[in-house]
Amino acid sequence: MTLVTDLTSRKADTTAPLIHPLVERWSPRAYDPAAEVSTDVLRTILEAARWAPSANNTQPWRFIVARRGSDAFTKIHDALMGFNQAWADSAAVLVANVAETVDPEGKPRPWARYDLGQAVAHLSVQAQHEGLHTHQMGGFEGDRLRAAFDLDERLEVVSVTAIGVLGDVDALPEALREREVAPRQRKPLDELVIVGE
Ligand SMILES: Cc1cc2nc3c(=O)[nH]c(=O)nc-3n(C[C@H](O)[C@H](O)[C@H](O)COP(=O)(O)O)c2cc1C
């Protein structure tokens, strides 16, 4: 596959040296619609999530893991907003990231969403290390996913992650391609560190 679009600008322009998966991670919309993720690799990236830290080691993350072509994939894809449906169908795997926000005794878990996010970050970095890309999404109908997977009240779908092999950016519709090559920007560290030198 020859890409006309230059994707070198996708690498993070960091002000300090970072490990490779962090430099190379970005959230594409162009996925190879024929590529699959092996069970071993899928297991590896979920294992990375499993070993994330969590409040009191409650591990309140749950995942609905769906390969392209499966009924579960269709259910997740159907629940995405149109602007995500437009590209996410090419991902090899869609994962609904679920937080157990209330424990089995009915006590709220205030850190559940935080812990889930951290587990998803682990997963994303490991996936990048495995040569895959990920793209997290908040644009979906949570109630629709709850109904589709018959989730009980203690569970909340917080985000969806597309996972796959980078595809042909030039084959995307123009509007999506433009977003794909838009400058990657971050706030300066000075703005993030409100106290500290
Ligand atoms: C919680 C969350 C929700 C997001 N929702 C969407 C979404 O619905 N659609 C989308 O295209 N990107 C979504 N993104 C991707 C962000 O826009 C992206 O991570 C951000 O612009 C930084 O780009 P980068 O990941 O390439 O560094 C989401 C990311 C996160 C973490």
Side-chain angles (χ1 to χ4, degrees), residues 10 25-29 83-84 87 134-140 158-159 179 184 186:
R10 298 303 87 195
R25 188 210 61 77
W26 62 288
S27 302
R29 294 176 180 80
F83 58 87
N84 288 324
W87 56 266
T134 56
H135 192 140
Q136 297 174 49
M137 289 167 268
F140 63 90
V158 176
S159 60
R179 296 184 70 178
R184 295 191 67 217
R186 290 298 190 266

Side-chain angles (χ1 to χ4, degrees), residues 37-128:
V37 178
S38 73
T39 302
D40 280 354
V41 170
L42 210 44
R43 174 176 288 276
T44 299
I45 63 178
L46 288 163
E47 184 71 6
R50 179 174 170 245
W51 281 99
S54 61
N56 210 20
N57 202 21
T58 39
Q59 306 163 61
W61 42 71
R62 304 289 180 270
F63 302 101
I64 298 169
V65 182
R67 288 180 188 282
R68 191 191 323 102
S70 67
D71 286 349
F73 187 100
T74 304
K75 284 179 184 172
I76 297 175
H77 188 262
D78 284 352
L80 296 177
M81 300 297 181
F83 58 87
N84 288 324
Q85 281 185 350
W87 56 266
D89 52 341
S90 297
V93 179
L94 288 176
V95 178
N97 305 309
V98 181
E100 199 177 68
T101 57
V102 176
D103 76 11
E105 283 73 48
K107 201 167 153 229
R109 284 187 172 144
W111 306 108
R113 294 175 192 84
Y114 179 93
D115 292 339
L116 172 69
Q118 189 148 223
V120 173
H122 272 218
L123 180 153
S124 304
V125 173
Q126 187 70 41
Q128 194 70 41

Side-chain angles (χ1 to χ4, degrees), residues 4-22:
V4 177
T5 303
D6 179 11
L7 292 178
T8 51
S9 66
R10 298 303 87 195
K11 283 193 181 178
D13 183 14
T14 67
T15 58
L18 303 185
I19 58 171
H20 279 104
L22 290 179

